[in-house]
Amino acid sequence: MDRRVVVTGIGMISPLGKTREESWDALLAGKSGAGEITAFDTEAYTVKIAAEVKDFEPTSLQDPKEAKTTDRFAQFAIFACEEALGDAGLLEDKPASNRTGVIVGSGIGGMFTFEKNHTALMGRGPRRVSPFFIPMMIGDIAAGMIAMRHGFRGPNYATVSACATGAHAIADAAMQIKAGRADVMISGGSEATITPMAIAGFSNMKALSTRNEDPTKASRPFDAERDGFLMGEGAGIVILEEYERALARGAHVYAEVLGAGLTADAHHITAPHPEGLGAREAMEMALGEAGIAREQIGYVNAHGTSTPYNDRTETAALRTFFGDHAETLKISSTKSMTGHLLGAAGGLESAITSLVLDRGKIPPTINYENPDPDCDLDYVPNASIEHEVEAAISTSLGFGGHNIVLLLARDPARR
């Protein structure tokens, strides 16, 4: 009998709140997490805005010594993991350590740590580089620290695929359970790249919005006046569990992971395929694995970056793949409120998609004010709606042409 995989716990730390419910309530209210950057002085920068996690205090969970030697991205992952484990009831009812794994990715890893130590190296020489520099910076350290914190000895690694990272982590984690290598997997993505180097790099490649005078209007996916994405930070972590195990312990099931489609554009280092070919083929692969019809998909949590190319090609991919059914799809880009969390985006947005399936409410795409003839679908503009959905997809399309589509469905007991 095939092993089925369900979502039984969700943890979020985002620009909208430091818990799942804070973030969810803000999403439904259509609030923006954007503002002026406070992490560093932006006087010399073209871009002065981002969506930061506010009032984050790592020592509320970590002891001061550990917090001091943990990069911000790993701190986010640890916080979201604790919430997800608690939500699943697995802090008290601990799963078998050798049957529990962690796959948590980061697109860039410890950017804060890298920049701080590079500055020390250039200014004061090699002896000033911290002995904790390497373990703080490497992108797999979040998964390692979560495992050490709880003694989980199952499959443990990080995925790296730019803005598709978090979703790739969840697809890999589901496969570990289906293959029988684990019964419980902690998975998702975490990112903290509101740093001088990262903002300069993305800004100089013209990827970021420069709507500095009105930050909450900067991220405007699918709107005709979109001018780039808004950098965000945070983490989205889900607990994946083998279905029969979840049933046996009476766990709340948010959603079932029915399929995943993984493709490459093989086209350009940053630009998506102009016809959305890789994204479309990923949708086809995900539905094929799930064995469901296109008409059963009711919601799409779009990659929706607010960049001119992404939104147009993603719309083309959806329209081409779904045909007439595309007209009935509810589509939202929650990046309009959270900003773009890069490697954490797929983790956060998969978690949001699970909540949509569980609660029958769809967050909006805010700042959708000016129709673009190339983006002509129902993006749930500006206000959330109540809408029951049986199945949904979350799309993640990363630099380098990495595409992944996760297909989630409502709790099997409710279908």
Side-chain angles (χ1 to χ4, degrees):
M1 181 177 176
D2 291 340
R3 287 163 64 88
R4 301 170 71 176
V5 181
V6 292
V7 178
T8 58
I10 293 175
M12 297 180 182
I13 180 164
S14 81
L16 300 174
K18 296 192 287 294
T19 67
R20 174 188 61 256
E21 297 305 325
E22 285 179 9
S23 296
W24 177 247
D25 289 347
L27 286 165
L28 292 183
K31 293 182 179 177
S32 169
E36 293 184 4
I37 292 173
T38 63
F40 61 92
D41 183 357
T42 61
E43 183 176 356
Y45 286 72
T46 305
V47 173
K48 303 176 186 297
I49 55 175
E52 297 175 311
V53 173
K54 287 84 175 171
D55 304 319
F56 178 65
E57 180 45 69
T59 55
S60 65
L61 183 63
Q62 295 180 285
D63 73 54
K65 280 188 177 178
E66 182 184 86
K68 191 176 179 181
T69 56
T70 305
D71 189 89
R72 186 172 171 89
F73 93 94
Q75 292 170 345
F76 288 157
I78 291 168
F79 270 66
C81 171
E82 290 298 302
E83 184 183 33
L85 283 170
D87 184 39
L90 295 178
L91 287 176
E92 303 80 18
D93 182 17
K94 285 265 186 177
S97 60
N98 65 338
R99 299 289 298 168
T100 305
V102 187
I103 304 176
V104 172
S106 180
I108 298 182
M111 199 74 177
F112 272 101
T113 299
F114 184 89
E115 293 183 27
K116 179 180 177 182
N117 281 273
H118 184 263
T119 299
L121 172 68
M122 293 294 102
R124 294 186 287 170
R127 289 184 176 275
R128 305 308 299 179
V129 174
S130 168
F132 292 98
F133 168 59
I134 297 298
M136 287 178 69
M137 180 200 69
I138 52 178
D140 61 322
I141 199 63
M145 292 187 73
I146 290 168
M148 285 183 276
R149 189 176 185 87
H150 295 283
F152 297 143
R153 295 184 286 106
N156 189 293
Y157 56 92
T159 52
V160 180
S161 51
C163 308
T165 293
H168 272 123
I170 293 172
D172 271 19
M175 285 190 283
Q176 298 295 342
I177 294 175
K178 287 184 178 181
R181 300 189 187 101
D183 298 324
V184 177
M185 292 294 297
I186 298 154
S187 186
S190 189
E191 203 79 89
T193 50
I194 303 176
T195 69
M197 185 72 83
I199 294 295
F202 280 103
S203 174
N204 290 347
M205 68 187 294
K206 309 296 184 188
L208 298 178
S209 170
T210 56
R211 202 179 291 259
N212 296 315
E213 73 287 353
D214 197 0
T216 63
K217 296 283 188 180
S219 184
R220 44 194 319 111
F222 305 110
D223 182 90
E225 295 188 3
R226 64 191 183 276
D227 70 331
F229 75 79
L230 177 79
M231 186 74 83
E233 62 176 358
I237 300 291
V238 295
I239 305 300
L240 301 183
E241 189 167 352
E242 194 275 324
Y243 180 47
E244 296 297 330
R245 184 186 189 282
L247 277 183
R249 68 185 190 88
H252 176 74
V253 173
Y254 287 97
E256 179 175 8
V257 182
L258 280 185
L262 300 79
T263 66
D265 278 350
H267 170 67
H268 189 272
I269 56 172
T270 57
H273 189 282
E275 298 169 4
L277 177 62
R280 190 171 74 236
E281 291 177 336
M283 294 175 199
E284 186 169 6
M285 188 184 297
L287 266 72
E289 181 182 348
I292 68 171
R294 299 171 197 213
E295 290 72 22
Q296 290 176 266
I297 301 295
Y299 171 65
V300 178
N301 188 296
H303 192 57
T305 55
S306 184
T307 58
Y309 284 121
N310 175 89
D311 297 358
R312 183 168 63 240
T313 57
E314 186 170 12
T315 299
L318 289 166
R319 185 169 280 290
T320 304
F321 179 72
F322 284 101
D324 291 343
H325 182 57
E327 300 287 348
T328 69
L329 286 172
K330 301 299 181 187
I331 303 164
S332 62
S333 171
T334 44
K335 289 184 180 74
S336 61
M337 295 168 278
T338 65
H340 191 350
L341 274 61
L342 305 184
L348 185 72
E349 290 159 14
S350 299
I352 292 169
T353 303
S354 298
L355 289 170
V356 167
L357 289 160
D358 184 60
R359 299 180 178 181
K361 297 178 179 178
I362 296 179
T365 303
I366 68 167
N367 298 323
Y368 184 82
E369 298 168 333
N370 310 286
D372 178 345
D374 291 328
C375 301
D376 55 353
L377 297 173
D378 180 358
Y379 305 109
V380 191
N382 303 315
S384 60
I385 59 172
E386 295 198 8
H387 188 77
E388 295 287 340
V389 176
E390 181 179 350
I393 59 173
S394 177
T395 61
S396 297
L397 318 171
F399 280 173
H402 312 298
N403 307 300
I404 176 161
V405 172
L406 290 177
L407 197 160
L408 305 172
R410 192 186 291 170
D411 175 2
R414 296 170 58 194
R415 298 208 297 269

